[in-house]
């Protein structure tokens, strides 16, 4: 793994952790979402500090280049987050349908 990628991972981890901690302090992020982003920042920091882990993981998974393993890991984590947000969005849309139906029934009863 090149030193440029190591530095980039380390800096991205620091920036991500700082941003999330700032947003938590301003109460703009739910705790469960903040845990995910802090964990992602820690993974980036660890990959930047200990590149041997990416070599080990790429060998374990049969991936030729450790850089591809890092990208695969990050993409997999972000896909998991998108899937989780998609589930939450579906649940909220269902709640909106139920609430709008209740409001319509109540306004009809008032008339």
């Amino acid at each position: 793994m090149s030193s440029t990628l190591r530095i980039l991972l380390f800096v991205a981890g620091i920036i991500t952790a700082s941003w999330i901690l700032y947003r938590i302090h301003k109460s703009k992020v739910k705790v469960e979402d903040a845990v995910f982003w802090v964990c992602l920042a820690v993974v980036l920091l660890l990959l930047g500090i200990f590149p041997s882990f990416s070599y080990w993981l790429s060998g374990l998974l049969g991936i030729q280049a450790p850089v591809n393993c890092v990208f695969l890991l990050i993409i997999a984590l972000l896909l998991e987050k998108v899937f989780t947000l998609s589930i939450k969005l579906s649940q909220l849309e269902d709640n909106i349908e139920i609430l709008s139906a209740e409001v319509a029934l109540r306004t009809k009863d008032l008339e």
Side-chain angles (χ1 to χ4, degrees):
M1 184 182 309
S2 70
S3 61
T4 305
L5 182 60
R6 288 180 64 192
I7 292 170
L8 183 65
L9 288 171
F10 185 76
V11 169
I14 295 289
I15 290 171
T16 304
S18 301
W19 180 251
I20 289 301
L21 292 176
Y22 171 75
R23 299 302 272 181
I24 291 171
H25 179 69
K26 294 289 184 179
S27 298
K28 300 289 182 182
V29 179
K30 293 175 86 176
V31 173
E32 60 190 38
D33 294 331
V35 168
F36 172 82
W37 290 110
V38 168
C39 288
L40 181 67
V42 168
V43 167
L44 292 176
L45 284 171
L46 290 176
L47 287 173
I49 295 171
F50 304 110
S52 59
F53 177 73
S54 61
Y55 283 98
W56 174 79
L57 189 60
S58 63
L60 182 71
L61 297 175
I63 299 172
Q64 191 171 20
V67 173
N68 292 340
C69 185
V70 170
F71 290 144
L72 179 66
L73 179 65
I74 291 171
I75 289 169
L77 289 172
L78 292 176
L79 281 174
E80 187 279 327
K81 186 62 176 171
V82 168
F83 181 68
T84 303
L85 289 175
S86 175
I87 291 170
K88 286 182 183 180
L89 180 64
S90 295
Q91 292 171 345
L92 289 173
E93 287 175 347
D94 289 342
N95 288 345
I96 288 173
E97 283 183 25
I98 291 169
L99 288 173
S100 62
E102 285 182 12
V103 168
L105 290 172
R106 288 183 185 185
T107 55
K108 185 179 179 188
D109 288 341
L110 290 176
E111 294 175 356

